[in-house]
Amino acid sequence: QYSLIKDVVSSLKRHRMHEQQFTHHPLLVLSNFGLQQIQVKLMASMFQNMFPSINVHRVNLNSIKRCLLVSYDTETQLLDFRHYSVKVVPVGMSKGLKKLLQEKFPNMSRLEDISELL
């Protein structure tokens, strides 16, 4: 079973599809591939070799735009693929400061001073 990209995009209220998402490889997450069966090890090795490894100490978090989750169900012996879009946003600050950091300039016509925004 699968879904076409046009069906996924049409079902979303706000989709975030842009070509910059596909300039870098996705972050690969394998779930339930720790079994000792040879076919499971072979599948895990195949998926790991499809994408380059990521050095966690040197990776730029802003370059990671997608995440690919591959999950193996041991009972049904089926693979589930999930492809996520990742967005890095600042946390722990005011809404106005977040907009400034993301280069989205807020409407300041109601404010008398910049300190009201911050």
Side-chain angles (χ1 to χ4, degrees):
Q1 297 176 350
Y2 62 92
S3 299
L4 296 174
I5 188 67
K6 66 178 184 176
D7 297 331
V8 173
V9 169
S10 66
S11 69
L12 299 174
K13 291 181 182 176
R14 288 184 291 158
H15 66 341
R16 295 182 331 125
M17 291 290 293
H18 50 85
E19 37 192 67
Q20 291 177 349
Q21 287 181 313
F22 301 98
T23 57
H24 296 284
H25 299 285
L27 178 66
L28 178 65
V29 178
L30 299 177
S31 177
N32 297 329
F33 281 90
L35 302 173
Q36 296 300 319
Q37 299 168 341
I38 190 69
Q39 68 270 20
V40 176
K41 286 184 178 182
L42 182 63
M43 284 189 296
S45 176
M46 180 191 70
F47 288 122
Q48 288 171 347
N49 290 318
M50 286 175 69
F51 305 103
S53 61
I54 295 175
N55 185 344
V56 293
H57 299 292
R58 292 187 177 179
V59 68
N60 181 5
L61 290 179
N62 291 325
S63 69
I64 299 176
K65 302 290 184 191
R66 298 177 295 138
C67 178
L68 176 63
L69 171 65
V70 182
S71 180
Y72 178 68
D73 189 354
T74 56
E75 292 178 10
T76 61
Q77 295 185 346
L78 294 176
L79 292 172
D80 290 328
F81 291 89
R82 298 282 177 154
H83 192 202
Y84 296 99
S85 175
V86 177
K87 182 179 178 183
V88 179
V89 294
V91 294
M93 54 188 68
S94 70
K95 193 178 211 179
L97 190 55
K98 278 185 194 179
K99 285 184 180 181
L100 285 176
L101 289 175
Q102 293 175 343
E103 299 177 3
K104 296 177 184 172
F105 297 102
N107 183 4
M108 295 189 291
S109 62
R110 298 184 302 267
L111 308 176
E112 293 185 21
D113 192 354
I114 190 72
S115 63
E116 293 179 20
L117 176 68
L118 301 177

